[in-house]
Amino acid sequence: MKKKLVVLTGAGISAESGIKTFRDADGLWEGHNVMDVATPEGWHKNHELVLDFYNQRRKQLLEVQPNLGHQILAELEKDFEVSIITQNVDNLHTKAGSSNVLHLHGELLKVRSIANRNYILDWETDLNSGDIDDKGNQLRPHIVWFGEEVPALEEAVTIVEKADILIIIGTSLQVYPAAGLMNFAKPSIPVFYIDPKPVPIYDLPNDIKIIATTGSKGMKIIQKILKK
């Protein structure tokens, strides 16, 4: 039986691949206020702006590649039962070869109906006004915006509860409910936290090893530890 290795990833792991994070730029995401492009209110106010914003993000994603951090996580499947729970909307974990990835906040390369969140399509080109579902409803980015329910949360909690090892990579631990997932880990298991600017974790009884560096460098360190 392989040990269950659960990994929580945030924007930091993809930053090395060239995908920018809004937390590093005073709440701006690629020059836009997050409230204008990542909330239901922003969508209702100006859905053309929102569509264009995600069209640009989609184009950017198709030009980047997974980095060493993503690749090491995929390699660990040889020795562990790896489950990745990511806040990221990119496909870099899957592209690197990870086979069990749960997207908490949706996926950039998918769209869904505004009337039925279970009507989801793969989508790699621009999404425009007039692109509709089978009942004539407009399609929107398959992204969980700020203020929306996180449908995958319950599944994520169940995964964390079963972990034998927990790794947290590249997250400021500020976005809830995702930031609260670590609290569902068994108190007896080891926790590794990789981030160049780690924030204090006060309320976790686990043995926490903080590795203050990038995702790639941190995963090289953890890979050596796990092989011992």
Side-chain angles (χ1 to χ4, degrees), residues 134-174:
D134 57 350
K135 291 184 172 57
N137 299 297
Q138 175 66 38
L139 297 172
R140 56 160 276 183
H142 181 47
I143 304 292
V144 177
W145 288 324
F146 289 100
E148 292 188 316
E149 179 187 351
V150 182
L153 186 62
E154 193 172 324
E155 183 180 354
V157 168
T158 300
I159 292 169
V160 174
E161 286 176 335
K162 296 176 181 178
D164 296 310
I165 302 167
L166 181 65
I167 302 175
I168 304 166
I169 309 173
T171 170
S172 60
L173 299 176
Q174 302 298 309

Side-chain angles (χ1 to χ4, degrees), residues 43-88:
W43 170 257
H44 293 304
K45 178 181 175 183
N46 189 347
H47 76 264
E48 290 288 353
L49 172 67
V50 176
L51 289 172
D52 180 66
F53 177 80
Y54 287 99
N55 287 342
Q56 298 306 316
R57 305 288 72 72
R58 206 175 291 114
K59 287 175 184 173
Q60 180 193 48
L61 176 56
L62 294 172
E63 295 173 353
V64 301
Q65 298 297 325
N67 59 61
L68 184 60
H70 297 108
Q71 292 163 0
I72 291 174
L73 287 173
E75 289 171 12
L76 286 173
E77 291 191 11
K78 297 173 188 172
D79 301 307
F80 297 89
E81 184 181 325
V82 181
S83 296
I84 296 173
I85 301 168
T86 187
Q87 298 177 58
N88 301 335

Side-chain angles (χ1 to χ4, degrees), residues 161-202:
E161 286 176 335
K162 296 176 181 178
D164 296 310
I165 302 167
L166 181 65
I167 302 175
I168 304 166
I169 309 173
T171 170
S172 60
L173 299 176
Q174 302 298 309
V175 179
Y176 285 84
L181 282 172
M182 61 184 176
N183 295 298
F184 291 95
K186 295 188 291 277
S188 57
I189 71 165
V191 175
F192 298 90
Y193 175 32
I194 304 170
D195 196 276
K197 299 175 182 177
V199 297
I201 300 176
Y202 298 112

